[in-house]
Amino acid sequence: MRAFDSIGSTTAEAVAAAAAGDAGGIWFVATEQTAGRGRRGRVWVHTPGNLAATLLIVPDADPALAATLGFVAGVAIGVALDRVLPAGTVKVGLDGAEGLDGRSRVALKWPNDVLADGAKLVGIALEATKLGDGRHAIAIGIGVNIVAAPTDLPYPATSLAELGVTRSAQDVFEALSDAWVEIFRLWDDGRGIGDVLKRWRESAAGIGAPVAVNQDGAIVRGIFETIDDAGRLIVRANDDSRIAITAGDVHFGATASARS
Ligand SMILES: O=C(O)CCCC[C@@H]1SC[C@@H]2NC(=O)N[C@@H]21
Protein backbone atom coordinates (compact mmCIF):
# COMPACT_ATOMS: atom_id res chain seq x y z
CA MET A 1 0.00 0.00 0.00
CA ARG A 2 1.15 3.56 -0.72
CA ALA A 3 -0.36 5.93 1.82
CA PHE A 4 -0.44 9.72 1.41
CA ASP A 5 -1.38 12.41 3.94
CA SER A 6 -2.47 14.69 1.11
CA ILE A 7 -2.55 14.12 -2.63
CA GLY A 8 -4.43 15.44 -5.66
CA SER A 9 -6.03 12.13 -6.59
CA THR A 10 -5.17 8.56 -5.67
CA THR A 11 -6.38 7.54 -9.15
CA ALA A 12 -4.13 10.10 -10.87
CA GLU A 13 -1.25 8.74 -8.77
CA ALA A 14 -2.08 5.14 -9.75
CA VAL A 15 -2.37 6.04 -13.46
CA ALA A 16 1.01 7.82 -13.32
CA ALA A 17 2.54 4.78 -11.62
CA ALA A 18 1.16 2.51 -14.36
CA ALA A 19 2.57 4.78 -17.09
CA ALA A 20 5.93 4.67 -15.31
CA GLY A 21 5.93 0.86 -15.48
CA ASP A 22 4.52 -0.10 -12.09
CA ALA A 23 3.47 -3.75 -12.16
CA GLY A 24 0.30 -3.08 -10.21
CA GLY A 25 -1.33 -5.05 -7.42
CA ILE A 26 -1.03 -2.07 -5.12
CA TRP A 27 -3.42 0.24 -3.27
CA PHE A 28 -2.97 4.03 -3.21
CA VAL A 29 -4.73 5.53 -0.18
CA ALA A 30 -4.98 9.15 0.92
CA THR A 31 -6.17 10.93 4.05
CA GLU A 32 -6.78 14.11 2.10
CA GLN A 33 -7.52 14.30 -1.62
CA THR A 34 -7.55 17.77 -3.17
CA ALA A 35 -8.46 17.02 -6.82
CA GLY A 36 -10.63 13.87 -6.63
CA ARG A 37 -11.87 12.56 -9.96
CA GLY A 38 -15.39 11.22 -10.38
CA ARG A 39 -16.95 9.33 -13.28
CA ARG A 40 -17.65 11.06 -16.58
CA GLY A 41 -15.20 13.90 -15.92
CA ARG A 42 -16.86 15.04 -12.70
CA VAL A 43 -15.17 16.26 -9.53
CA TRP A 44 -15.24 14.02 -6.45
CA VAL A 45 -15.31 16.10 -3.29
CA HIS A 46 -13.34 14.55 -0.45
CA THR A 47 -13.73 15.59 3.17
CA PRO A 48 -10.68 14.60 5.25
CA GLY A 49 -11.64 11.49 7.19
CA ASN A 50 -13.46 9.97 4.22
CA LEU A 51 -11.80 7.07 2.41
CA ALA A 52 -10.06 7.67 -0.91
CA ALA A 53 -8.43 4.52 -2.26
CA THR A 54 -7.36 3.34 -5.71
CA LEU A 55 -6.24 -0.16 -6.58
CA LEU A 56 -3.93 -0.48 -9.58
CA ILE A 57 -3.99 -3.83 -11.31
CA VAL A 58 -2.89 -5.26 -14.65
CA PRO A 59 -5.32 -8.14 -15.17
CA ASP A 60 -4.81 -11.04 -17.55
CA ALA A 61 -8.13 -10.33 -19.24
CA ASP A 62 -9.17 -8.48 -22.36
CA PRO A 63 -10.22 -4.84 -21.90
CA ALA A 64 -13.95 -5.59 -22.20
CA LEU A 65 -13.72 -8.04 -19.30
CA ALA A 66 -11.45 -5.70 -17.36
CA ALA A 67 -14.25 -3.13 -17.52
CA THR A 68 -16.35 -5.47 -15.37
CA LEU A 69 -13.97 -4.92 -12.44
CA GLY A 70 -16.32 -2.16 -11.29
CA PHE A 71 -18.80 -4.90 -10.39
CA VAL A 72 -16.06 -6.73 -8.48
CA ALA A 73 -15.47 -3.51 -6.54
CA GLY A 74 -19.19 -3.02 -5.83
CA VAL A 75 -19.63 -6.55 -4.51
CA ALA A 76 -16.40 -6.28 -2.46
CA ILE A 77 -17.64 -3.06 -0.86
CA GLY A 78 -20.91 -4.78 0.01
CA VAL A 79 -18.99 -7.59 1.71
CA ALA A 80 -16.76 -5.05 3.51
CA LEU A 81 -19.72 -2.98 4.73
CA ASP A 82 -21.38 -6.13 6.00
CA ARG A 83 -18.34 -6.58 8.24
CA VAL A 84 -18.15 -3.00 9.56
CA LEU A 85 -21.84 -2.08 9.89
CA PRO A 86 -24.08 -3.46 12.64
CA ALA A 87 -25.03 -7.08 12.05
CA GLY A 88 -27.99 -7.63 9.78
CA THR A 89 -28.09 -4.18 8.16
CA VAL A 90 -26.29 -5.20 4.95
CA LYS A 91 -26.98 -8.10 2.65
CA VAL A 92 -25.13 -6.78 -0.36
CA GLY A 93 -22.53 -8.85 -2.15
CA LEU A 94 -23.00 -11.89 0.05
CA ASP A 95 -23.31 -15.32 -1.48
CA GLY A 96 -26.91 -16.56 -1.49
CA ALA A 97 -28.43 -13.19 -0.53
CA GLU A 98 -31.26 -14.00 -3.00
CA GLY A 99 -32.23 -10.43 -3.52
CA LEU A 100 -32.74 -7.46 -1.27
CA ASP A 101 -35.67 -8.02 1.03
CA GLY A 102 -36.06 -4.55 2.50
CA ARG A 103 -33.92 -5.29 5.53
CA SER A 104 -30.65 -4.28 3.89
CA ARG A 105 -29.89 -0.58 4.24
CA VAL A 106 -27.26 -0.91 1.50
CA ALA A 107 -27.83 -1.58 -2.21
CA LEU A 108 -25.77 -1.46 -5.39
CA LYS A 109 -26.73 1.02 -8.08
CA TRP A 110 -25.74 0.51 -11.70
CA PRO A 111 -23.11 1.02 -12.86
CA ASN A 112 -20.83 1.72 -9.94
CA ASP A 113 -22.49 3.30 -6.93
CA VAL A 114 -23.27 1.94 -3.50
CA LEU A 115 -26.35 3.38 -1.81
CA ALA A 116 -27.32 3.44 1.85
CA ASP A 117 -30.95 4.28 2.67
CA GLY A 118 -31.27 5.29 -0.99
CA ALA A 119 -28.45 7.88 -0.91
CA LYS A 120 -24.97 7.59 -2.38
CA LEU A 121 -22.45 6.33 0.15
CA VAL A 122 -19.70 5.09 -2.19
CA GLY A 123 -18.54 6.08 -5.67
CA ILE A 124 -16.39 3.89 -7.89
CA ALA A 125 -14.61 4.99 -11.06
CA LEU A 126 -12.36 2.92 -13.32
CA GLU A 127 -9.63 4.38 -15.53
CA ALA A 128 -7.70 2.24 -18.04
CA THR A 129 -4.18 2.91 -19.32
CA LYS A 130 -2.77 1.01 -22.30
CA LEU A 131 0.72 -0.28 -21.55
CA GLY A 132 3.61 -0.69 -23.99
CA ASP A 133 3.07 -4.47 -24.16
CA GLY A 134 -0.58 -4.04 -25.21
CA ARG A 135 -2.06 -4.94 -21.83
CA HIS A 136 -4.21 -2.49 -19.88
CA ALA A 137 -3.58 -1.23 -16.37
CA ILE A 138 -6.84 -0.56 -14.55
CA ALA A 139 -7.07 1.99 -11.76
CA ILE A 140 -10.11 1.22 -9.62
CA GLY A 141 -10.86 4.33 -7.59
CA ILE A 142 -13.18 4.03 -4.61
CA GLY A 143 -14.45 6.91 -2.49
CA VAL A 144 -16.40 6.11 0.69
CA ASN A 145 -18.14 8.90 2.60
CA ILE A 146 -17.13 8.10 6.17
CA VAL A 147 -17.41 11.37 8.13
CA ALA A 148 -19.37 13.56 5.70
CA ALA A 149 -21.08 13.67 2.31
CA PRO A 150 -21.31 16.68 0.00
CA THR A 151 -24.64 18.51 0.28
CA ASP A 152 -24.66 20.35 -3.06
CA LEU A 153 -25.07 17.36 -5.37
CA PRO A 154 -27.99 16.80 -7.77
CA TYR A 155 -28.71 13.51 -5.97
CA PRO A 156 -28.88 12.52 -2.28
CA ALA A 157 -25.62 11.48 -0.66
CA THR A 158 -24.87 10.15 2.78
CA SER A 159 -22.00 9.08 5.01
CA LEU A 160 -21.40 6.40 7.62
CA ALA A 161 -21.54 9.14 10.26
CA GLU A 162 -25.05 10.15 9.07
CA LEU A 163 -26.04 6.49 9.32
CA GLY A 164 -24.89 6.52 12.94
CA VAL A 165 -21.86 4.33 12.28
CA THR A 166 -18.58 5.40 13.88
CA ARG A 167 -16.03 3.40 11.93
CA SER A 168 -12.86 5.00 10.56
CA ALA A 169 -11.58 5.13 6.98
CA GLN A 170 -8.84 2.76 8.15
CA ASP A 171 -11.44 0.22 9.40
CA VAL A 172 -13.32 0.38 6.12
CA PHE A 173 -10.14 0.15 4.04
CA GLU A 174 -8.98 -2.95 5.92
CA ALA A 175 -12.33 -4.66 5.40
CA LEU A 176 -12.39 -3.56 1.75
CA SER A 177 -8.89 -4.77 0.90
CA ASP A 178 -9.68 -8.19 2.44
CA ALA A 179 -13.03 -8.44 0.65
CA TRP A 180 -11.40 -7.38 -2.62
CA VAL A 181 -9.05 -10.38 -2.46
CA GLU A 182 -12.04 -12.73 -2.05
CA ILE A 183 -14.16 -11.26 -4.83
CA PHE A 184 -11.23 -10.76 -7.22
CA ARG A 185 -10.48 -14.47 -6.76
CA LEU A 186 -14.13 -15.21 -7.61
CA TRP A 187 -13.79 -13.02 -10.76
CA ASP A 188 -10.83 -15.24 -11.77
CA ASP A 189 -9.40 -13.13 -14.62
CA GLY A 190 -12.92 -12.67 -15.95
CA ARG A 191 -13.83 -16.37 -16.03
CA GLY A 192 -15.96 -15.94 -12.91
CA ILE A 193 -17.77 -12.78 -14.00
CA GLY A 194 -21.05 -14.74 -14.05
CA ASP A 195 -20.71 -15.48 -10.32
CA VAL A 196 -19.81 -11.87 -9.54
CA LEU A 197 -22.74 -10.51 -11.57
CA LYS A 198 -25.10 -12.97 -9.87
CA ARG A 199 -24.16 -11.49 -6.51
CA TRP A 200 -24.35 -7.98 -7.95
CA ARG A 201 -27.88 -8.52 -9.34
CA GLU A 202 -29.07 -9.95 -6.02
CA SER A 203 -27.96 -6.71 -4.38
CA ALA A 204 -29.13 -4.27 -7.04
CA ALA A 205 -31.39 -1.31 -6.36
CA GLY A 206 -34.35 -0.78 -8.66
CA ILE A 207 -34.61 -4.03 -10.63
CA GLY A 208 -38.18 -4.32 -11.93
CA ALA A 209 -38.88 -0.62 -11.35
CA PRO A 210 -39.22 2.35 -13.71
CA VAL A 211 -35.90 3.84 -14.69
CA ALA A 212 -34.59 6.71 -16.77
CA VAL A 213 -31.03 6.60 -18.05
CA ASN A 214 -29.41 9.84 -19.13
CA GLN A 215 -26.79 9.21 -21.80
CA ASP A 216 -25.23 12.65 -22.28
CA GLY A 217 -28.67 14.24 -22.69
CA ALA A 218 -30.42 11.39 -24.51
CA ILE A 219 -32.90 9.82 -22.07
CA VAL A 220 -33.85 6.15 -22.26
CA ARG A 221 -36.97 5.29 -20.22
CA GLY A 222 -38.53 1.99 -19.32
CA ILE A 223 -38.37 -0.78 -16.74
CA PHE A 224 -34.98 -1.78 -15.33
CA GLU A 225 -35.14 -5.45 -16.26
CA THR A 226 -31.69 -6.78 -15.35
CA ILE A 227 -27.94 -6.57 -15.87
CA ASP A 228 -26.79 -8.86 -18.66
CA ASP A 229 -23.70 -11.07 -18.58
CA ALA A 230 -21.58 -8.25 -20.01
CA GLY A 231 -22.69 -5.94 -17.18
CA ARG A 232 -24.98 -3.85 -19.43
CA LEU A 233 -28.19 -2.41 -17.99
CA ILE A 234 -31.19 -3.85 -19.82
CA VAL A 235 -34.19 -1.56 -20.10
CA ARG A 236 -37.55 -2.87 -21.30
CA ALA A 237 -39.16 -0.08 -23.29
CA ASN A 238 -42.91 0.62 -23.68
CA ASP A 239 -43.05 -1.41 -26.88
CA ASP A 240 -41.48 -4.39 -25.05
CA SER A 241 -38.18 -4.02 -26.92
CA ARG A 242 -34.98 -4.40 -24.89
CA ILE A 243 -32.31 -1.68 -24.86
CA ALA A 244 -28.81 -2.57 -23.65
CA ILE A 245 -27.00 0.38 -22.06
CA THR A 246 -23.25 0.52 -21.46
CA ALA A 247 -22.95 3.98 -19.82
CA GLY A 248 -25.20 6.64 -18.34
CA ASP A 249 -26.71 8.13 -15.20
CA VAL A 250 -29.60 6.17 -13.73
CA HIS A 251 -32.65 7.70 -12.07
CA PHE A 252 -35.27 5.57 -10.35
CA GLY A 253 -38.88 6.12 -9.43
CA ALA A 254 -42.10 7.65 -10.65
CA THR A 255 -40.39 10.53 -12.45
CA ALA A 256 -38.51 7.87 -14.39
CA SER A 257 -41.73 6.18 -15.54
CA ALA A 258 -41.59 4.68 -19.01
CA ARG A 259 -44.81 6.55 -19.80
CA SER A 260 -43.81 9.97 -18.46
O1 LIG B 1 -18.17 9.62 -9.72
C1 LIG B 1 -18.12 8.67 -8.92
O2 LIG B 1 -19.11 8.31 -8.31
C2 LIG B 1 -16.82 7.96 -8.68
C3 LIG B 1 -16.02 8.62 -7.63
C4 LIG B 1 -14.69 7.95 -7.37
C5 LIG B 1 -13.90 8.70 -6.32
C6 LIG B 1 -12.66 7.97 -5.93
S1 LIG B 1 -11.95 8.63 -4.46
C7 LIG B 1 -10.54 7.64 -4.71
C8 LIG B 1 -10.23 7.70 -6.19
N1 LIG B 1 -9.46 8.88 -6.50
C9 LIG B 1 -10.10 9.72 -7.31
O3 LIG B 1 -9.65 10.80 -7.74
N2 LIG B 1 -11.33 9.23 -7.59
C10 LIG B 1 -11.55 7.95 -6.94
Side-chain angles (χ1 to χ4, degrees):
M1 182 181 70
R2 290 185 202 157
F4 302 86
D5 289 335
S6 180
I7 199 171
S9 157
T10 52
T11 289
E13 189 70 20
V15 168
D22 201 304
I26 187 155
W27 286 95
F28 298 75
V29 182
T31 306
E32 183 187 33
Q33 192 175 236
T34 55
R37 310 206 300 217
R39 280 199 308 276
R40 300 163 76 80
R42 297 182 186 122
V43 168
W44 178 260
V45 175
H46 175 97
T47 301
N50 286 352
L51 175 62
T54 299
L55 176 62
L56 178 66
I57 55 173
V58 184
D60 284 327
D62 70 45
L65 269 175
T68 65
L69 284 166
F71 298 102
V72 177
V75 171
I77 288 164
V79 170
L81 290 175
D82 180 63
R83 293 174 185 165
V84 297
L85 269 64
T89 55
V90 182
K91 292 182 72 184
V92 169
L94 307 181
D95 192 18
E98 289 172 6
L100 297 179
D101 64 356
R103 281 181 292 152
S104 179
R105 297 182 70 182
V106 177
L108 303 181
K109 183 181 177 199
W110 189 90
N112 285 147
D113 290 344
V114 181
L115 307 179
D117 295 347
K120 183 161 169 170
L121 176 68
V122 181
I124 302 167
L126 270 55
E127 295 189 24
T129 307
K130 193 166 184 188
L131 303 177
D133 61 7
R135 292 182 305 157
H136 286 78
I138 312 290
I140 304 156
I142 301 171
V144 185
N145 296 328
I146 306 278
V147 296
T151 52
D152 55 352
L153 298 172
Y155 52 82
T158 191
S159 63
L160 288 188
E162 279 175 47
L163 298 172
V165 176
T166 49
R167 301 301 298 264
S168 68
Q170 175 72 20
D171 293 338
V172 175
F173 175 70
E174 284 170 11
L176 171 60
S177 51
D178 286 349
W180 173 270
V181 171
E182 294 164 34
I183 307 303
F184 187 61
R185 193 175 295 137
L186 185 66
W187 186 71
D188 189 18
D189 287 330
R191 288 179 290 270
I193 183 60
D195 293 329
V196 173
L197 285 172
K198 176 175 178 292
R199 289 204 199 189
W200 200 97
R201 280 184 205 104
E202 288 168 353
S203 310
I207 287 191
V211 70
V213 188
N214 186 335
Q215 299 179 293
D216 296 324
I219 313 286
V220 174
R221 294 180 196 279
I223 300 298
F224 175 10
E225 193 161 83
T226 191
I227 302 293
D228 73 6
D229 290 344
R232 298 176 304 180
L233 181 143
I234 305 299
V235 175
R236 176 163 47 83
N238 268 350
D239 62 2
D240 255 5
S241 64
R242 304 308 194 265
I243 303 161
I245 295 173
T246 53
D249 291 317
V250 168
H251 304 273
F252 297 129
T255 54
S257 164
R259 292 170 205 287
S260 65

